C-alpha cells in the first residue's frame, strides 16, 4: 500500500506493517520466593516493634504520627494497620499521614487519594489520616540547607517511620530508597523534596545521611518499621528499629534488598516490550535497575537494551507517566491517559525533566512493537532478540524471542514453558 493512500493518522502503522515479528517463547525465570505469608504479617510487625523496645517509647495519650508513602508497597494497608494497632495497644493515639514528597500532584487531596487507592483509609485503619502540604523548618545542615517536616508530624508527640528499603533509580549510596529517604524527602513534602533535589540526584547519596541526622536529632522520631520485598512484590523482611538504630541498620537491609531484586537473565536485547509502567511499580515507572535504562548520566546500567516499547499505564499511577521518557516508542492509548497535573509537580521537584517526555506513539500495540524493532540498528533482522514483560515487578514468567531459545535452554536460571508462538493481537492490534 503506497503511503500517499494511507488515511491520516495511519502512516506509522503502514510503516510498521512490513516488519515481521518473531515467534515468542514463554519461560520461567527462577527467582527467590522467600516471603512472609500475609496472614502472619500483623503478628510479625507487632513482634518487631516489641523486640526493638518501641513500647517503652509510647506513653498513654501520646499522639503518634505514622508515615505512609506512595510507592505501591506490598501489604502496605495491612502493615500500617498493624502499627496503628500496636500504638493503640500501648495507649497512644495514632494517626497516619502521607509522606510522599511531591507525589499526588503535590496536593493534600491528591496524596490522600493515593493512600485510598492502596486501601489505606480511616475506616480500615481505625484512626485519622491527616494530609497537608504545610511544613515546618526543623533546622539546617552544616552547609546551611534548610530541613523541613510535615506540620502534623512535627506537632505530634512521636513519629514512626514506615518504608520499603530498595535500590534507588537515580543515585547510589549506603542509603537509597528506604527509611532515611522517607524521613528526608517523604516527610519533607513538596517543599522539602524540592530543597533536597535542588542540585539533582548526583550527590543525594551523600546528602541523605547529612539531612537525615538533622531530622533524627530534631524531630520526635521514635523509630521505624523497615520493609524489604522479593522479586514478586511480596514482603520478605520486616525489621523494627529505634531511632538511634536507623543509621546503622538500614545499609545492611539495602544490601539484602538488592539480592532479592528481580532481574532479566538475558542481555544484549534488541527490543524490550513492557506492558505497563506506573509510579506504583517504580519511581521511574519501570525500574531502571531492571531495564538498564537510567534517567541520569551518573548512574549506568549493565544491561544492553537498544529499544524499549511501553504499551500502557497502570490504573494505580493515576495518569502519572513519569518514566515514559525512558521508552523509545509507546501507544496513543497510553498518551491519552496522561495527567500532566499529576505528573509534572514530581518531575519539576526532582529536576530530572526527561522522565515524562512522550516518545513516538502509535495506534496499536502491534505497530508500537514493530516500529521499535524496525528502527533498531546493527541487529540480526532475521533473528531479533526480543523480551516481553508485564512490568518490572512481574518477572517470573516472561517471553523471549525464538532466537534466544538456545541461550535459555543452556541457563540454570530459566525453565522453558512453551513452544515458539506468534504474538496474540486482537482485531485492533492490541495484546489485550
Amino acid at each position: 500500500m503506497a503511503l500517499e493512500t494511507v488515511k491520516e493518522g495511519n502512516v506509522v502503522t503502514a510503516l510498521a506493517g512490513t516488519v515481521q515479528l518473531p515467534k515468542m517463547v514463554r519461560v520461567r525465570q527462577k527467582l527467590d520466593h522467600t516471603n512472609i505469608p500475609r496472614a502472619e504479617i500483623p503478628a510479625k510487625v507487632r513482634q518487631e516493634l516489641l523486640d526493638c523496645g518501641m513500647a517503652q517509647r509510647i506513653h498513654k495519650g501520646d499522639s503518634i504520627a505514622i508515615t505512609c508513602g506512595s510507592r505501591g508497597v506490598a501489604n502496605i494497608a495491612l502493615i500500617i494497620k498493624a502499627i496503628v494497632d500496636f500504638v493503640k495497644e500501648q495507649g497512644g493515639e495514632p494517626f497516619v499521614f502521607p509522606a510522599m514528597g511531591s507525589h499526588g500532584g503535590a496536593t493534600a487531596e491528591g496524596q490522600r487519594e493515593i493512600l485510598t487507592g492502596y486501601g489505606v483509609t480511616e475506616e480500615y485503619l481505625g484512626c485519622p489520616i491527616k494530609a497537608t502540604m504545610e511544613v515546618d523548618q526543623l533546622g539546617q545542615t552544616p552547609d546551611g540547607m534548610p530541613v523541613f517536616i510535615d506540620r502534623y508530624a512535627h506537632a505530634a508527640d512521636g513519629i514512626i517511620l514506615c518504608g520499603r528499603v530498595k535500590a534507588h533509580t537515580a543515585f547510589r549510596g549506603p542509603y537509597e530508597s528506604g527509611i532515611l529517604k522517607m524521613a528526608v524527602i517523604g516527610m519533607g513534602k513538596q517543599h522539602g523534596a524540592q530543597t533536597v533535589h535542588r542540585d539533582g540526584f548526583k550527590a543525594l547519596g551523600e546528602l541523605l545521611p547529612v539531612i537525615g541526622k538533622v531530622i533524627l536529632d530534631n524531630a520526635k522520631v521514635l523509630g521505624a518499621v523497615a520493609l524489604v520485598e522479593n522479586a514478586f512484590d511480596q514482603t520478605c523482611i520486616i525489621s523494627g528499629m529505634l531511632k538511634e538504630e536507623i543509621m546503622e541498620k538500614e545499609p545492611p537491609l539495602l544490601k539484602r534488598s538488592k539480592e532479592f531484586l528481580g532481574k532479566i537473565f538475558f542481555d544484549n536485547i534488541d527490543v524490550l516490550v513492557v506492558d505497563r509502567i506506573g509510579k506504583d511499580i517504580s519511581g521511574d515507572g519501570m525500574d531502571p535497575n531492571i531495564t538498564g535504562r537510567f534517567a541520569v548520566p551518573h548512574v549506568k546500567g549493565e544491561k544492553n537494551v537498544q529499544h524499549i516499547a511501553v504499551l500502557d499505564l497502570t490504573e494505580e499511577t493515576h495518569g502519572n507517566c513519569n518514566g515514559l521518557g525512558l521508552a523509545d516508542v509507546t501507544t496513543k492509548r497510553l498518551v491519552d491517559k496522561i495527567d500532566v497535573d499529576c505528573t509534572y509537580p514530581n518531575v519539576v521537584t526532582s529536576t530530572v525533566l526527561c522522565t515524562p517526555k512522550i516518545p513516538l506513539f502509535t495506534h496499536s500495540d502491534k505497530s508500537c512493537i514493530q516500529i521499535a524493532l524496525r528502527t533498531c540498528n546493527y541487529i540480526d533482522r532475521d533473528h531479533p532478540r526480543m523480551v516481553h514483560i508485564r512490568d518490572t515487578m512481574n518477572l517470573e514468567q516472561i517471553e523471549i524471542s525464538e532466537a534466544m531459545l538456545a541461550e535459555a535452554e543452556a541457563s540454570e536460571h530459566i525453565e522453558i514453558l512453551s513452544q515458539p508462538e506468534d504474538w496474540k493481537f486482537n482485531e485492533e492490534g492490541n495484546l489485550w
Side-chain angles (χ1 to χ4, degrees):
M1 177 170 56
L3 290 182
E4 57 268 21
T5 67
V6 178
K7 293 181 180 179
E8 184 179 359
N10 289 327
V11 174
V12 173
T13 302
L15 286 169
T18 59
V19 177
Q20 182 67 39
L21 295 178
K23 292 181 182 294
M24 303 294 286
V25 179
R26 284 186 297 110
V27 300
R28 176 180 289 116
Q29 299 197 116
K30 298 176 182 178
L31 302 168
D32 192 338
H33 278 266
T34 301
N35 71 93
I36 302 170
R38 180 177 169 82
E40 298 177 13
I41 286 175
K44 177 64 173 174
V45 171
R46 180 179 182 275
Q47 192 61 52
E48 284 291 319
L49 290 169
L50 284 172
D51 289 348
C52 77
M54 190 72 74
Q56 285 70 50
R57 299 284 172 98
I58 302 171
H59 306 101
K60 185 174 182 179
D62 280 355
S63 171
I64 306 298
I66 303 166
T67 68
C68 190
S70 59
R71 294 297 195 199
V73 176
N75 303 302
I76 189 59
L78 187 66
I79 291 166
I80 295 295
K81 187 177 189 309
I83 300 172
V84 167
D85 291 344
F86 178 85
V87 171
K88 288 181 177 179
E89 183 182 329
Q90 313 314 313
E93 298 178 1
F95 70 89
V96 171
F97 70 101
M100 54 184 75
S102 62
H103 295 183
T107 67
E109 296 78 12
Q111 296 199 345
R112 182 184 285 269
E113 181 182 349
I114 288 175
L115 296 193
T116 299
Y118 295 146
V120 180
T121 64
E122 292 183 345
E123 292 75 19
Y124 177 73
L125 298 175
C127 77
I129 293 176
K130 298 183 179 182
T132 183
M133 299 305 294
E134 298 297 319
V135 294
D136 294 328
Q137 183 172 341
L138 273 178
Q140 61 183 30
T141 63
D143 68 353
M145 177 185 288
V147 178
F148 300 94
I149 186 175
D150 177 284
R151 182 159 292 171
Y152 286 128
H154 191 210
D157 296 311
I159 303 167
I160 297 177
L161 302 166
C162 178
R164 176 179 58 197
V165 178
K166 65 175 294 187
H168 197 271
T169 60
F171 70 90
R172 293 288 177 260
Y175 308 91
E176 297 181 21
S177 285
I179 297 302
L180 217 57
K181 182 171 177 284
M182 172 66 77
V184 170
I185 296 176
M187 286 206 303
K189 312 305 287 242
Q190 195 278 334
H191 196 61
Q194 178 175 274
T195 303
V196 174
H197 286 304
R198 66 186 181 186
D199 292 319
F201 283 98
K202 188 174 182 179
L204 200 50
E206 299 171 5
L207 277 174
L208 270 185
V210 175
I211 304 170
K213 186 176 187 304
V214 175
I215 292 173
L216 295 178
D217 287 347
N218 294 278
K220 298 173 185 175
V221 175
L222 304 182
V225 175
L227 312 169
V228 174
E229 295 174 8
N230 64 19
F232 302 96
D233 192 29
Q234 297 170 316
T235 309
C236 59
I237 297 175
I238 298 173
S239 179
M241 58 190 75
L242 296 179
K243 175 176 74 172
E244 55 269 28
E245 299 175 309
I246 292 173
M247 300 290 284
E248 177 185 356
K249 288 190 172 182
E250 184 171 340
L253 285 175
L254 175 60
K255 184 177 180 180
R256 290 289 309 280
S257 76
K258 291 181 179 182
E259 294 170 358
F260 281 108
L261 186 68
K263 55 181 65 72
I264 298 172
F265 288 108
F266 299 91
D267 202 356
N268 298 316
I269 298 168
D270 299 328
V271 176
L272 173 64
V273 179
V274 183
D275 283 345
R276 58 184 196 161
I277 65 171
K279 292 293 285 188
D280 53 308
I281 292 171
S282 171
D284 283 357
M286 50 183 170
D287 192 339
N289 296 294
I290 306 296
T291 67
R293 184 77 63 87
F294 288 85
V296 290
H298 53 271
V299 180
K300 301 294 184 182
E302 297 178 356
K303 192 162 297 297
N304 180 21
V305 178
Q306 186 168 161
H307 282 166
I308 298 177
V310 170
L311 307 182
D312 208 346
L313 295 178
T314 65
E315 290 185 13
E316 293 80 4
T317 199
H318 301 287
N320 190 323
C321 72
N322 198 42
L324 181 59
L326 302 180
D328 301 288
V329 194
T330 190
T331 66
K332 188 174 185 298
R333 177 182 66 244
L334 183 154
V335 172
D336 289 343
K337 294 180 179 180
I338 293 174
D339 183 342
V340 295
D341 291 328
C342 181
T343 305
Y344 289 174
N346 182 215
V347 172
V348 172
T349 300
S350 75
T351 75
V352 183
L353 299 183
C354 67
T355 56
K357 288 185 177 181
I358 299 174
L360 181 152
F361 60 88
T362 69
H363 290 272
S364 71
D365 295 344
K366 183 176 182 180
S367 55
C368 176
I369 298 166
Q370 288 175 314
I371 287 295
L373 180 56
R374 173 178 172 143
T375 53
C376 283
N377 301 133
Y378 300 104
I379 67 170
D380 184 342
R381 299 192 179 279
D382 294 325
H383 306 93
R385 294 175 60 84
M386 299 182 67
V387 174
H388 176 206
I389 65 174
R390 175 66 168 158
D391 54 57
T392 55
M393 282 203 311
N394 290 277
L395 296 169
E396 182 174 38
Q397 287 197 34
I398 66 173
E399 293 181 332
I400 61 172
S401 59
E402 194 171 8
M404 304 166 73
L405 184 54
E407 182 181 342
E409 291 172 336
S411 173
E412 62 180 359
H413 301 294
I414 303 296
E415 176 186 356
I416 310 298
L417 299 180
S418 77
Q419 295 297 314
E421 300 173 342
D422 290 324
W423 293 77
K424 294 179 172 59
F425 298 108
N426 61 21
E427 292 182 0
E428 288 74 38
N430 296 323
L431 289 172
W432 64 90

